[in-house]
Amino acid sequence: MPEFEAIQAVRDFVEQGGSVLLVIAFVTAVMWTLIYERFWYFRVRHRKERDRVRELWRSRPDHASWNARQVRRMLISQVRQKLQQRLGPIETIVKLCPMLGLLGTVTGMIEVFDVMAAGSGNARGMAGGVSKATLPTMAGMVAALSGMIFSIQLDRYSRDEANRVADSLEFVHQ
């Protein structure tokens, strides 16, 4: 049963890394859910919003008055706000992941110091603590790096797309 072996391998990995590894896994799952949601929004929903805003602007009889400029600014601001929605939480989670890894390092080292304080010189006990110190650090860094790559791309796309929408709403200077 390969499925059972995979589950057992994950269970062993979590046991070696400690409970902080579960927290990192949960936070990473939330981060990737938010990243996926943003990609879905950009791919599907934003196109409809962009077309709606363009049509609203084109249907206006006046494009040159002060009121028209304010309506244009409002429309661009609404698009920008929707594009940048949920990017802040993604960036926060990216910054949180290494800190959670550090928490795992500290808890693992406490276990090593406990074994050393007992004076038994138990190499196996110290190795388990070192494992609980290094695995969460690695997991936190991998999660942060993978999330950071996509977070930067999402931020860049949202800024560029907001500028494209702004450029597509023609403005007539008086």
Side-chain angles (χ1 to χ4, degrees):
M1 289 182 136
E3 299 90 22
F4 182 72
E5 291 172 9
I7 292 171
Q8 188 61 39
V10 169
R11 184 177 296 142
D12 292 344
F13 184 73
V14 170
E15 284 177 13
Q16 288 175 344
S19 59
V20 175
L21 213 50
L22 291 174
V23 174
I24 292 171
F26 175 75
V27 168
T28 303
V30 170
M31 176 184 70
W32 279 104
T33 300
L34 291 172
I35 289 171
Y36 177 76
E37 184 277 333
R38 285 289 82 194
F39 275 116
W40 179 78
Y41 176 81
F42 292 157
R43 189 83 173 144
V44 177
R45 305 246 349 243
H46 171 65
R47 291 178 182 181
K48 294 175 185 173
E49 178 66 14
R50 179 191 62 205
D51 293 343
R52 183 190 72 80
V53 165
R54 285 178 180 166
E55 185 56 38
L56 231 146
W57 178 252
R58 286 186 189 122
S59 68
R60 287 186 56 81
D62 171 32
H63 292 159
S65 69
W66 181 86
N67 285 336
R69 286 192 303 249
Q70 298 310 311
V71 168
R72 182 178 180 270
R73 283 182 53 202
M74 178 196 65
L75 292 172
I76 293 168
S77 178
Q78 287 173 349
V79 167
R80 184 170 281 123
Q81 183 181 16
K82 288 179 181 179
L83 283 168
Q84 292 179 345
Q85 217 172 17
R86 293 183 188 84
L87 293 182
I90 294 170
E91 291 174 9
T92 301
I93 291 172
V94 165
K95 293 173 184 173
L96 179 67
C97 284
M99 298 300 115
L100 291 172
L102 183 60
L103 176 65
T105 301
V106 171
T107 57
M109 291 310 295
I110 288 172
E111 189 172 311
V112 170
F113 294 144
D114 284 344
V115 170
M116 290 172 63
S120 66
N122 182 355
R124 183 168 289 215
M126 287 195 304
V130 170
S131 176
K132 284 187 180 173
T134 55
L135 288 177
T137 304
M138 176 195 66
M141 293 305 290
V142 167
L145 287 173
S146 66
M148 184 174 58
I149 291 167
F150 287 95
S151 174
I152 290 169
Q153 292 288 45
L154 291 170
D155 185 55
R156 183 179 301 146
Y157 180 83
S158 72
R159 281 186 280 118
D160 291 347
E161 185 60 23
N163 290 335
R164 280 191 288 271
V165 170
D167 292 343
S168 73
L169 303 182
E170 312 92 31
F171 180 67
V172 178
H173 295 282
Q174 284 184 335

